[in-house]
PDB file of all heavy atoms in Angstrom:
ATOM      1  N   SER X  11      -7.272  39.812  17.677  1.00  0.00           N
ATOM      2  CA  SER X  11      -7.353  38.497  17.292  1.00  0.00           C
ATOM      3  C   SER X  11      -8.297  37.680  18.129  1.00  0.00           C
ATOM      4  O   SER X  11      -9.096  36.858  17.637  1.00  0.00           O
ATOM      5  CB  SER X  11      -5.989  37.820  17.173  1.00  0.00           C
ATOM      6  OG  SER X  11      -6.132  36.549  16.823  1.00  0.00           O
ATOM      7  N   SER X  12      -8.212  37.917  19.433  1.00  0.00           N
ATOM      8  CA  SER X  12      -9.077  37.138  20.421  1.00  0.00           C
ATOM      9  C   SER X  12     -10.525  37.531  20.169  1.00  0.00           C
ATOM     10  O   SER X  12     -11.395  36.641  20.163  1.00  0.00           O
ATOM     11  CB  SER X  12      -8.590  37.439  21.880  1.00  0.00           C
ATOM     12  OG  SER X  12      -9.413  36.843  22.754  1.00  0.00           O
ATOM     13  N   VAL X  13     -10.746  38.789  19.967  1.00  0.00           N
ATOM     14  CA  VAL X  13     -12.187  39.342  19.829  1.00  0.00           C
ATOM     15  C   VAL X  13     -12.751  38.739  18.616  1.00  0.00           C
ATOM     16  O   VAL X  13     -13.893  38.233  18.532  1.00  0.00           O
ATOM     17  CB  VAL X  13     -12.138  40.822  19.771  1.00  0.00           C
ATOM     18  CG1 VAL X  13     -13.638  41.341  19.278  1.00  0.00           C
ATOM     19  CG2 VAL X  13     -11.872  41.420  21.155  1.00  0.00           C
ATOM     20  N   LEU X  14     -11.912  38.742  17.413  1.00  0.00           N
ATOM     21  CA  LEU X  14     -12.349  38.184  16.119  1.00  0.00           C
ATOM     22  C   LEU X  14     -12.620  36.778  16.245  1.00  0.00           C
ATOM     23  O   LEU X  14     -13.498  36.184  15.576  1.00  0.00           O
ATOM     24  CB  LEU X  14     -11.391  38.615  15.007  1.00  0.00           C
ATOM     25  CG  LEU X  14     -11.167  40.105  14.632  1.00  0.00           C
ATOM     26  CD1 LEU X  14     -10.189  40.246  13.627  1.00  0.00           C
ATOM     27  CD2 LEU X  14     -12.577  40.548  14.155  1.00  0.00           C
ATOM     28  N   SER X  15     -11.692  36.002  16.991  1.00  0.00           N
ATOM     29  CA  SER X  15     -11.862  34.566  17.040  1.00  0.00           C
ATOM     30  C   SER X  15     -13.086  34.107  17.784  1.00  0.00           C
ATOM     31  O   SER X  15     -13.691  33.119  17.420  1.00  0.00           O
ATOM     32  CB  SER X  15     -10.634  34.012  17.678  1.00  0.00           C
ATOM     33  OG  SER X  15      -9.409  34.305  16.894  1.00  0.00           O
ATOM     34  N   TYR X  16     -13.407  34.895  18.830  1.00  0.00           N
ATOM     35  CA  TYR X  16     -14.526  34.476  19.579  1.00  0.00           C
ATOM     36  C   TYR X  16     -15.891  35.061  19.216  1.00  0.00           C
ATOM     37  O   TYR X  16     -16.926  34.845  19.903  1.00  0.00           O
ATOM     38  CB  TYR X  16     -14.271  34.697  21.124  1.00  0.00           C
ATOM     39  CG  TYR X  16     -13.165  33.704  21.676  1.00  0.00           C
ATOM     40  CD1 TYR X  16     -11.895  34.134  21.826  1.00  0.00           C
ATOM     41  CD2 TYR X  16     -13.507  32.470  21.944  1.00  0.00           C
ATOM     42  CE1 TYR X  16     -10.872  33.293  22.283  1.00  0.00           C
ATOM     43  CE2 TYR X  16     -12.571  31.617  22.448  1.00  0.00           C
ATOM     44  CZ  TYR X  16     -11.269  32.016  22.700  1.00  0.00           C
ATOM     45  OH  TYR X  16     -10.301  31.164  23.107  1.00  0.00           O
ATOM     46  N   MET X  17     -15.809  35.939  18.254  1.00  0.00           N
ATOM     47  CA  MET X  17     -17.035  36.545  17.715  1.00  0.00           C
ATOM     48  C   MET X  17     -17.895  35.454  17.036  1.00  0.00           C
ATOM     49  O   MET X  17     -17.366  34.641  16.248  1.00  0.00           O
ATOM     50  CB  MET X  17     -16.755  37.775  16.820  1.00  0.00           C
ATOM     51  CG  MET X  17     -16.287  38.974  17.483  1.00  0.00           C
ATOM     52  SD  MET X  17     -16.097  40.314  16.285  1.00  0.00           S
ATOM     53  CE  MET X  17     -17.829  40.564  15.681  1.00  0.00           C
ATOM     54  N   THR X  18     -19.149  35.454  17.195  1.00  0.00           N
ATOM     55  CA  THR X  18     -20.018  34.648  16.471  1.00  0.00           C
ATOM     56  C   THR X  18     -20.397  35.255  15.106  1.00  0.00           C
ATOM     57  O   THR X  18     -20.756  34.440  14.206  1.00  0.00           O
ATOM     58  CB  THR X  18     -21.380  34.343  17.244  1.00  0.00           C
ATOM     59  OG1 THR X  18     -21.931  35.609  17.524  1.00  0.00           O
ATOM     60  CG2 THR X  18     -21.045  33.586  18.520  1.00  0.00           C
ATOM     61  N   ASP X  19     -20.214  36.550  14.934  1.00  0.00           N
ATOM     62  CA  ASP X  19     -20.576  37.149  13.799  1.00  0.00           C
ATOM     63  C   ASP X  19     -19.280  37.161  12.896  1.00  0.00           C
ATOM     64  O   ASP X  19     -18.137  37.079  13.323  1.00  0.00           O
ATOM     65  CB  ASP X  19     -20.882  38.641  13.845  1.00  0.00           C
ATOM     66  CG  ASP X  19     -22.292  38.786  14.553  1.00  0.00           C
ATOM     67  OD1 ASP X  19     -23.056  37.850  14.480  1.00  0.00           O
ATOM     68  OD2 ASP X  19     -22.453  39.763  15.355  1.00  0.00           O
ATOM     69  N   GLY X  20     -19.506  37.141  11.475  1.00  0.00           N
ATOM     70  CA  GLY X  20     -18.331  37.173  10.644  1.00  0.00           C
ATOM     71  C   GLY X  20     -17.904  38.509  10.453  1.00  0.00           C
ATOM     72  O   GLY X  20     -18.644  39.534  10.273  1.00  0.00           O
ATOM     73  N   VAL X  21     -16.551  38.758  10.311  1.00  0.00           N
ATOM     74  CA  VAL X  21     -15.941  40.065  10.106  1.00  0.00           C
ATOM     75  C   VAL X  21     -15.016  39.908   8.927  1.00  0.00           C
ATOM     76  O   VAL X  21     -14.130  39.145   8.856  1.00  0.00           O
ATOM     77  CB  VAL X  21     -15.210  40.549  11.320  1.00  0.00           C
ATOM     78  CG1 VAL X  21     -14.513  41.883  11.039  1.00  0.00           C
ATOM     79  CG2 VAL X  21     -16.166  40.617  12.506  1.00  0.00           C
ATOM     80  N   ILE X  22     -15.110  40.901   8.020  1.00  0.00           N
ATOM     81  CA  ILE X  22     -14.240  41.010   6.839  1.00  0.00           C
ATOM     82  C   ILE X  22     -13.683  42.435   6.725  1.00  0.00           C
ATOM     83  O   ILE X  22     -14.496  43.395   6.888  1.00  0.00           O
ATOM     84  CB  ILE X  22     -15.053  40.600   5.497  1.00  0.00           C
ATOM     85  CG1 ILE X  22     -15.625  39.230   5.748  1.00  0.00           C
ATOM     86  CG2 ILE X  22     -14.022  40.630   4.323  1.00  0.00           C
ATOM     87  CD1 ILE X  22     -16.524  38.894   4.430  1.00  0.00           C
ATOM     88  N   ALA X  23     -12.413  42.548   6.484  1.00  0.00           N
ATOM     89  CA  ALA X  23     -11.823  43.880   6.394  1.00  0.00           C
ATOM     90  C   ALA X  23     -11.094  43.918   5.035  1.00  0.00           C
ATOM     91  O   ALA X  23     -10.541  42.970   4.487  1.00  0.00           O
ATOM     92  CB  ALA X  23     -10.721  44.187   7.457  1.00  0.00           C
ATOM     93  N   THR X  24     -11.195  45.059   4.437  1.00  0.00           N
ATOM     94  CA  THR X  24     -10.657  45.402   3.054  1.00  0.00           C
ATOM     95  C   THR X  24      -9.704  46.572   3.182  1.00  0.00           C
ATOM     96  O   THR X  24      -9.711  47.285   4.053  1.00  0.00           O
ATOM     97  CB  THR X  24     -11.690  45.606   1.938  1.00  0.00           C
ATOM     98  OG1 THR X  24     -12.214  46.917   2.154  1.00  0.00           O
ATOM     99  CG2 THR X  24     -12.838  44.551   2.064  1.00  0.00           C
ATOM    100  N   ASP X  25      -8.798  46.646   2.046  1.00  0.00           N
ATOM    101  CA  ASP X  25      -7.954  47.779   1.878  1.00  0.00           C
ATOM    102  C   ASP X  25      -8.799  48.878   1.118  1.00  0.00           C
ATOM    103  O   ASP X  25     -10.065  48.666   0.895  1.00  0.00           O
ATOM    104  CB  ASP X  25      -6.693  47.428   1.225  1.00  0.00           C
ATOM    105  CG  ASP X  25      -6.925  46.870  -0.253  1.00  0.00           C
ATOM    106  OD1 ASP X  25      -8.071  46.957  -0.705  1.00  0.00           O
ATOM    107  OD2 ASP X  25      -6.024  46.308  -0.788  1.00  0.00           O
ATOM    108  N   ARG X  26      -8.149  49.954   0.777  1.00  0.00           N
ATOM    109  CA  ARG X  26      -8.895  51.100   0.189  1.00  0.00           C
ATOM    110  C   ARG X  26      -9.331  50.775  -1.225  1.00  0.00           C
ATOM    111  O   ARG X  26     -10.129  51.539  -1.857  1.00  0.00           O
ATOM    112  CB  ARG X  26      -8.094  52.337   0.221  1.00  0.00           C
ATOM    113  CG  ARG X  26      -6.731  52.185  -0.569  1.00  0.00           C
ATOM    114  CD  ARG X  26      -5.905  53.459  -0.290  1.00  0.00           C
ATOM    115  NE  ARG X  26      -4.620  53.391  -1.093  1.00  0.00           N
ATOM    116  CZ  ARG X  26      -4.484  53.848  -2.283  1.00  0.00           C
ATOM    117  NH1 ARG X  26      -5.518  54.260  -2.977  1.00  0.00           N
ATOM    118  NH2 ARG X  26      -3.222  53.820  -2.851  1.00  0.00           N
ATOM    119  N   LYS X  27      -8.863  49.673  -1.812  1.00  0.00           N
ATOM    120  CA  LYS X  27      -9.330  49.247  -3.218  1.00  0.00           C
ATOM    121  C   LYS X  27     -10.379  48.205  -3.164  1.00  0.00           C
ATOM    122  O   LYS X  27     -10.665  47.654  -4.182  1.00  0.00           O
ATOM    123  CB  LYS X  27      -8.082  48.860  -4.020  1.00  0.00           C
ATOM    124  CG  LYS X  27      -7.161  50.007  -4.294  1.00  0.00           C
ATOM    125  CD  LYS X  27      -5.943  49.514  -5.180  1.00  0.00           C
ATOM    126  CE  LYS X  27      -4.979  50.584  -5.562  1.00  0.00           C
ATOM    127  NZ  LYS X  27      -3.976  50.182  -6.432  1.00  0.00           N
ATOM    128  N   GLY X  28     -10.785  47.790  -1.975  1.00  0.00           N
ATOM    129  CA  GLY X  28     -11.791  46.741  -1.887  1.00  0.00           C
ATOM    130  C   GLY X  28     -11.347  45.278  -1.776  1.00  0.00           C
ATOM    131  O   GLY X  28     -11.993  44.374  -1.931  1.00  0.00           O
ATOM    132  N   ARG X  29      -9.955  45.107  -1.711  1.00  0.00           N
ATOM    133  CA  ARG X  29      -9.363  43.767  -1.603  1.00  0.00           C
ATOM    134  C   ARG X  29      -9.388  43.314  -0.161  1.00  0.00           C
ATOM    135  O   ARG X  29      -9.007  44.060   0.692  1.00  0.00           O
ATOM    136  CB  ARG X  29      -7.933  43.776  -2.240  1.00  0.00           C
ATOM    137  CG  ARG X  29      -7.957  44.068  -3.754  1.00  0.00           C
ATOM    138  CD  ARG X  29      -6.525  43.830  -4.244  1.00  0.00           C
ATOM    139  NE  ARG X  29      -5.643  44.840  -3.764  1.00  0.00           N
ATOM    140  CZ  ARG X  29      -5.117  45.886  -4.319  1.00  0.00           C
ATOM    141  NH1 ARG X  29      -5.506  46.169  -5.572  1.00  0.00           N
ATOM    142  NH2 ARG X  29      -4.308  46.698  -3.747  1.00  0.00           N
ATOM    143  N   ILE X  30      -9.666  42.086   0.037  1.00  0.00           N
ATOM    144  CA  ILE X  30      -9.818  41.554   1.341  1.00  0.00           C
ATOM    145  C   ILE X  30      -8.451  41.354   2.037  1.00  0.00           C
ATOM    146  O   ILE X  30      -7.532  40.753   1.434  1.00  0.00           O
ATOM    147  CB  ILE X  30     -10.523  40.176   1.412  1.00  0.00           C
ATOM    148  CG1 ILE X  30     -11.938  40.355   0.821  1.00  0.00           C
ATOM    149  CG2 ILE X  30     -10.610  39.521   2.750  1.00  0.00           C
ATOM    150  CD1 ILE X  30     -12.702  39.062   0.554  1.00  0.00           C
ATOM    151  N   ILE X  31      -8.254  41.961   3.154  1.00  0.00           N
ATOM    152  CA  ILE X  31      -6.993  41.762   3.967  1.00  0.00           C
ATOM    153  C   ILE X  31      -7.182  40.942   5.214  1.00  0.00           C
ATOM    154  O   ILE X  31      -6.207  40.548   5.800  1.00  0.00           O
ATOM    155  CB  ILE X  31      -6.419  43.153   4.204  1.00  0.00           C
ATOM    156  CG1 ILE X  31      -7.326  43.982   5.079  1.00  0.00           C
ATOM    157  CG2 ILE X  31      -5.980  43.905   2.894  1.00  0.00           C
ATOM    158  CD1 ILE X  31      -6.759  45.406   5.506  1.00  0.00           C
ATOM    159  N   LEU X  32      -8.434  40.740   5.679  1.00  0.00           N
ATOM    160  CA  LEU X  32      -8.650  40.049   6.940  1.00  0.00           C
ATOM    161  C   LEU X  32      -9.985  39.434   6.894  1.00  0.00           C
ATOM    162  O   LEU X  32     -10.982  40.087   6.430  1.00  0.00           O
ATOM    163  CB  LEU X  32      -8.497  40.980   8.087  1.00  0.00           C
ATOM    164  CG  LEU X  32      -8.735  40.325   9.472  1.00  0.00           C
ATOM    165  CD1 LEU X  32      -7.792  41.071  10.451  1.00  0.00           C
ATOM    166  CD2 LEU X  32     -10.112  40.495   9.991  1.00  0.00           C
ATOM    167  N   ILE X  33     -10.129  38.159   7.321  1.00  0.00           N
ATOM    168  CA  ILE X  33     -11.378  37.577   7.377  1.00  0.00           C
ATOM    169  C   ILE X  33     -11.298  36.520   8.600  1.00  0.00           C
ATOM    170  O   ILE X  33     -10.428  35.771   8.643  1.00  0.00           O
ATOM    171  CB  ILE X  33     -11.766  36.854   6.042  1.00  0.00           C
ATOM    172  CG1 ILE X  33     -13.118  36.059   6.230  1.00  0.00           C
ATOM    173  CG2 ILE X  33     -10.732  35.877   5.641  1.00  0.00           C
ATOM    174  CD1 ILE X  33     -13.649  35.542   4.960  1.00  0.00           C
ATOM    175  N   ASN X  34     -12.260  36.596   9.487  1.00  0.00           N
ATOM    176  CA  ASN X  34     -12.181  35.734  10.696  1.00  0.00           C
ATOM    177  C   ASN X  34     -12.885  34.376  10.298  1.00  0.00           C
ATOM    178  O   ASN X  34     -13.510  34.151   9.259  1.00  0.00           O
ATOM    179  CB  ASN X  34     -12.901  36.371  11.904  1.00  0.00           C
ATOM    180  CG  ASN X  34     -14.297  36.560  11.766  1.00  0.00           C
ATOM    181  OD1 ASN X  34     -14.900  36.369  10.758  1.00  0.00           O
ATOM    182  ND2 ASN X  34     -14.959  36.880  12.860  1.00  0.00           N
ATOM    183  N   GLU X  35     -12.712  33.436  11.296  1.00  0.00           N
ATOM    184  CA  GLU X  35     -13.186  32.079  11.019  1.00  0.00           C
ATOM    185  C   GLU X  35     -14.693  31.979  10.798  1.00  0.00           C
ATOM    186  O   GLU X  35     -15.151  31.267   9.958  1.00  0.00           O
ATOM    187  CB  GLU X  35     -12.678  31.138  12.089  1.00  0.00           C
ATOM    188  CG  GLU X  35     -12.814  29.717  11.893  1.00  0.00           C
ATOM    189  CD  GLU X  35     -11.941  29.244  10.783  1.00  0.00           C
ATOM    190  OE1 GLU X  35     -10.874  29.804  10.546  1.00  0.00           O
ATOM    191  OE2 GLU X  35     -12.380  28.220  10.062  1.00  0.00           O
ATOM    192  N   PRO X  36     -15.478  32.677  11.667  1.00  0.00           N
ATOM    193  CA  PRO X  36     -16.924  32.678  11.471  1.00  0.00           C
ATOM    194  C   PRO X  36     -17.360  33.057  10.007  1.00  0.00           C
ATOM    195  O   PRO X  36     -18.247  32.529   9.428  1.00  0.00           O
ATOM    196  CB  PRO X  36     -17.429  33.536  12.575  1.00  0.00           C
ATOM    197  CG  PRO X  36     -16.440  33.476  13.657  1.00  0.00           C
ATOM    198  CD  PRO X  36     -15.193  33.415  12.935  1.00  0.00           C
ATOM    199  N   ALA X  37     -16.687  34.100   9.617  1.00  0.00           N
ATOM    200  CA  ALA X  37     -16.983  34.648   8.234  1.00  0.00           C
ATOM    201  C   ALA X  37     -16.766  33.572   7.139  1.00  0.00           C
ATOM    202  O   ALA X  37     -17.432  33.399   6.170  1.00  0.00           O
ATOM    203  CB  ALA X  37     -16.314  35.949   7.968  1.00  0.00           C
ATOM    204  N   ALA X  38     -15.535  32.933   7.300  1.00  0.00           N
ATOM    205  CA  ALA X  38     -15.007  31.979   6.311  1.00  0.00           C
ATOM    206  C   ALA X  38     -16.029  30.810   6.330  1.00  0.00           C
ATOM    207  O   ALA X  38     -16.432  30.235   5.283  1.00  0.00           O
ATOM    208  CB  ALA X  38     -13.718  31.457   6.715  1.00  0.00           C
ATOM    209  N   LYS X  39     -16.557  30.367   7.548  1.00  0.00           N
ATOM    210  CA  LYS X  39     -17.552  29.330   7.672  1.00  0.00           C
ATOM    211  C   LYS X  39     -18.851  29.671   6.954  1.00  0.00           C
ATOM    212  O   LYS X  39     -19.483  28.931   6.299  1.00  0.00           O
ATOM    213  CB  LYS X  39     -17.651  28.981   9.040  1.00  0.00           C
ATOM    214  CG  LYS X  39     -16.501  28.158   9.657  1.00  0.00           C
ATOM    215  CD  LYS X  39     -16.771  27.676  11.023  1.00  0.00           C
ATOM    216  CE  LYS X  39     -15.564  26.894  11.597  1.00  0.00           C
ATOM    217  NZ  LYS X  39     -15.820  26.543  13.095  1.00  0.00           N
ATOM    218  N   MET X  40     -19.286  30.942   7.295  1.00  0.00           N
ATOM    219  CA  MET X  40     -20.564  31.405   6.834  1.00  0.00           C
ATOM    220  C   MET X  40     -20.652  31.328   5.210  1.00  0.00           C
ATOM    221  O   MET X  40     -21.598  30.961   4.559  1.00  0.00           O
ATOM    222  CB  MET X  40     -20.873  32.853   7.241  1.00  0.00           C
ATOM    223  CG  MET X  40     -21.265  32.877   8.695  1.00  0.00           C
ATOM    224  SD  MET X  40     -21.607  34.663   9.053  1.00  0.00           S
ATOM    225  CE  MET X  40     -21.887  34.519  10.890  1.00  0.00           C
ATOM    226  N   LEU X  41     -19.467  31.821   4.640  1.00  0.00           N
ATOM    227  CA  LEU X  41     -19.392  31.911   3.205  1.00  0.00           C
ATOM    228  C   LEU X  41     -18.770  30.670   2.544  1.00  0.00           C
ATOM    229  O   LEU X  41     -18.630  30.497   1.301  1.00  0.00           O
ATOM    230  CB  LEU X  41     -18.468  33.103   2.780  1.00  0.00           C
ATOM    231  CG  LEU X  41     -19.028  34.473   3.287  1.00  0.00           C
ATOM    232  CD1 LEU X  41     -18.015  35.595   3.007  1.00  0.00           C
ATOM    233  CD2 LEU X  41     -20.332  34.830   2.636  1.00  0.00           C
ATOM    234  N   ASP X  42     -18.458  29.666   3.406  1.00  0.00           N
ATOM    235  CA  ASP X  42     -17.888  28.321   2.927  1.00  0.00           C
ATOM    236  C   ASP X  42     -16.673  28.638   2.065  1.00  0.00           C
ATOM    237  O   ASP X  42     -16.636  27.948   0.840  1.00  0.00           O
ATOM    238  CB  ASP X  42     -18.990  27.566   2.204  1.00  0.00           C
ATOM    239  CG  ASP X  42     -18.566  26.127   1.979  1.00  0.00           C
ATOM    240  OD1 ASP X  42     -17.684  25.671   2.746  1.00  0.00           O
ATOM    241  OD2 ASP X  42     -19.069  25.474   1.009  1.00  0.00           O
ATOM    242  N   VAL X  43     -15.653  29.350   2.486  1.00  0.00           N
ATOM    243  CA  VAL X  43     -14.450  29.563   1.744  1.00  0.00           C
ATOM    244  C   VAL X  43     -13.340  29.402   2.672  1.00  0.00           C
ATOM    245  O   VAL X  43     -13.354  29.169   3.895  1.00  0.00           O
ATOM    246  CB  VAL X  43     -14.403  30.969   1.310  1.00  0.00           C
ATOM    247  CG1 VAL X  43     -15.513  31.223   0.249  1.00  0.00           C
ATOM    248  CG2 VAL X  43     -14.550  32.033   2.309  1.00  0.00           C
ATOM    249  N   SER X  44     -12.149  29.250   2.018  1.00  0.00           N
ATOM    250  CA  SER X  44     -10.910  29.165   2.841  1.00  0.00           C
ATOM    251  C   SER X  44     -10.294  30.499   3.053  1.00  0.00           C
ATOM    252  O   SER X  44     -10.232  31.372   2.104  1.00  0.00           O
ATOM    253  CB  SER X  44      -9.867  28.326   2.052  1.00  0.00           C
ATOM    254  OG  SER X  44      -8.644  28.395   2.674  1.00  0.00           O
ATOM    255  N   ARG X  45      -9.802  30.750   4.233  1.00  0.00           N
ATOM    256  CA  ARG X  45      -9.251  32.175   4.571  1.00  0.00           C
ATOM    257  C   ARG X  45      -8.008  32.439   3.741  1.00  0.00           C
ATOM    258  O   ARG X  45      -7.868  33.614   3.358  1.00  0.00           O
ATOM    259  CB  ARG X  45      -8.875  32.193   6.087  1.00  0.00           C
ATOM    260  CG  ARG X  45     -10.052  32.018   7.025  1.00  0.00           C
ATOM    261  CD  ARG X  45      -9.600  31.857   8.453  1.00  0.00           C
ATOM    262  NE  ARG X  45      -8.975  33.076   8.985  1.00  0.00           N
ATOM    263  CZ  ARG X  45      -8.482  33.140  10.117  1.00  0.00           C
ATOM    264  NH1 ARG X  45      -8.392  32.220  10.985  1.00  0.00           N
ATOM    265  NH2 ARG X  45      -7.896  34.261  10.490  1.00  0.00           N
ATOM    266  N   GLU X  46      -7.266  31.431   3.391  1.00  0.00           N
ATOM    267  CA  GLU X  46      -6.016  31.674   2.639  1.00  0.00           C
ATOM    268  C   GLU X  46      -6.377  32.104   1.188  1.00  0.00           C
ATOM    269  O   GLU X  46      -5.696  32.851   0.536  1.00  0.00           O
ATOM    270  CB  GLU X  46      -5.137  30.585   2.624  1.00  0.00           C
ATOM    271  CG  GLU X  46      -4.451  30.294   3.990  1.00  0.00           C
ATOM    272  CD  GLU X  46      -5.435  29.643   4.972  1.00  0.00           C
ATOM    273  OE1 GLU X  46      -6.501  29.190   4.550  1.00  0.00           O
ATOM    274  OE2 GLU X  46      -5.186  29.586   6.266  1.00  0.00           O
ATOM    275  N   THR X  47      -7.373  31.463   0.623  1.00  0.00           N
ATOM    276  CA  THR X  47      -7.717  31.647  -0.791  1.00  0.00           C
ATOM    277  C   THR X  47      -8.452  32.951  -1.142  1.00  0.00           C
ATOM    278  O   THR X  47      -8.366  33.448  -2.334  1.00  0.00           O
ATOM    279  CB  THR X  47      -8.499  30.490  -1.349  1.00  0.00           C
ATOM    280  OG1 THR X  47      -9.757  30.397  -0.551  1.00  0.00           O
ATOM    281  CG2 THR X  47      -7.750  29.119  -1.271  1.00  0.00           C
ATOM    282  N   VAL X  48      -9.109  33.575  -0.162  1.00  0.00           N
ATOM    283  CA  VAL X  48      -9.928  34.775  -0.435  1.00  0.00           C
ATOM    284  C   VAL X  48      -9.115  35.976  -0.139  1.00  0.00           C
ATOM    285  O   VAL X  48      -9.658  37.147  -0.480  1.00  0.00           O
ATOM    286  CB  VAL X  48     -11.235  34.741   0.416  1.00  0.00           C
ATOM    287  CG1 VAL X  48     -12.085  33.522   0.069  1.00  0.00           C
ATOM    288  CG2 VAL X  48     -10.903  34.846   1.842  1.00  0.00           C
ATOM    289  N   LEU X  49      -7.960  35.895   0.492  1.00  0.00           N
ATOM    290  CA  LEU X  49      -7.189  37.159   0.635  1.00  0.00           C
ATOM    291  C   LEU X  49      -6.811  37.788  -0.606  1.00  0.00           C
ATOM    292  O   LEU X  49      -6.434  37.075  -1.593  1.00  0.00           O
ATOM    293  CB  LEU X  49      -5.911  36.856   1.550  1.00  0.00           C
ATOM    294  CG  LEU X  49      -6.143  36.471   2.979  1.00  0.00           C
ATOM    295  CD1 LEU X  49      -4.789  36.024   3.626  1.00  0.00           C
ATOM    296  CD2 LEU X  49      -6.913  37.460   3.777  1.00  0.00           C
ATOM    297  N   SER X  50      -6.938  39.139  -0.675  1.00  0.00           N
ATOM    298  CA  SER X  50      -6.652  39.901  -1.944  1.00  0.00           C
ATOM    299  C   SER X  50      -7.765  39.844  -2.976  1.00  0.00           C
ATOM    300  O   SER X  50      -7.661  40.427  -4.052  1.00  0.00           O
ATOM    301  CB  SER X  50      -5.357  39.510  -2.579  1.00  0.00           C
ATOM    302  OG  SER X  50      -4.245  39.765  -1.742  1.00  0.00           O
ATOM    303  N   GLU X  51      -8.855  38.981  -2.706  1.00  0.00           N
ATOM    304  CA  GLU X  51     -10.001  38.931  -3.632  1.00  0.00           C
ATOM    305  C   GLU X  51     -10.922  40.180  -3.294  1.00  0.00           C
ATOM    306  O   GLU X  51     -11.134  40.559  -2.279  1.00  0.00           O
ATOM    307  CB  GLU X  51     -10.677  37.627  -3.423  1.00  0.00           C
ATOM    308  CG  GLU X  51     -11.891  37.476  -4.358  1.00  0.00           C
ATOM    309  CD  GLU X  51     -12.573  36.153  -4.136  1.00  0.00           C
ATOM    310  OE1 GLU X  51     -12.058  35.304  -3.427  1.00  0.00           O
ATOM    311  OE2 GLU X  51     -13.857  35.941  -4.592  1.00  0.00           O
ATOM    312  N   PRO X  52     -11.427  40.732  -4.461  1.00  0.00           N
ATOM    313  CA  PRO X  52     -12.503  41.803  -4.184  1.00  0.00           C
ATOM    314  C   PRO X  52     -13.591  41.418  -3.466  1.00  0.00           C
ATOM    315  O   PRO X  52     -14.180  40.297  -3.660  1.00  0.00           O
ATOM    316  CB  PRO X  52     -12.835  42.243  -5.631  1.00  0.00           C
ATOM    317  CG  PRO X  52     -11.665  41.753  -6.516  1.00  0.00           C
ATOM    318  CD  PRO X  52     -11.146  40.485  -5.855  1.00  0.00           C
ATOM    319  N   ILE X  53     -14.124  42.214  -2.433  1.00  0.00           N
ATOM    320  CA  ILE X  53     -15.178  41.789  -1.545  1.00  0.00           C
ATOM    321  C   ILE X  53     -16.495  41.643  -2.257  1.00  0.00           C
ATOM    322  O   ILE X  53     -17.229  40.760  -1.946  1.00  0.00           O
ATOM    323  CB  ILE X  53     -15.274  42.767  -0.407  1.00  0.00           C
ATOM    324  CG1 ILE X  53     -16.199  42.274   0.716  1.00  0.00           C
ATOM    325  CG2 ILE X  53     -15.750  44.197  -0.884  1.00  0.00           C
ATOM    326  CD1 ILE X  53     -16.214  43.005   1.981  1.00  0.00           C
TER     327      ILE X  53
END
């Protein structure tokens, strides 16, 4: 969590079906989305 929080790059993780299970703050800002609303959405 510390690494993901302080990374300047955006990181997105999915499950084996391509649904988003993790997105860090830089990635949410880059894509201009809310972290809570994109969880479980196909990448």
Side-chain angles (χ1 to χ4, degrees):
S11 178
S12 178
V13 170
L14 291 177
S15 299
Y16 289 100
M17 283 182 66
T18 56
D19 294 332
V21 178
I22 304 173
T24 72
D25 60 13
R26 59 188 180 88
K27 293 184 178 180
R29 296 187 294 256
I30 297 170
I31 59 175
L32 182 145
I33 179 171
N34 68 346
E35 194 64 31
K39 289 182 179 179
M40 287 180 183
L41 299 172
D42 193 22
V43 295
S44 171
R45 296 171 66 182
E46 291 75 16
T47 58
V48 299
L49 294 178
S50 299
E51 182 181 346
I53 190 170

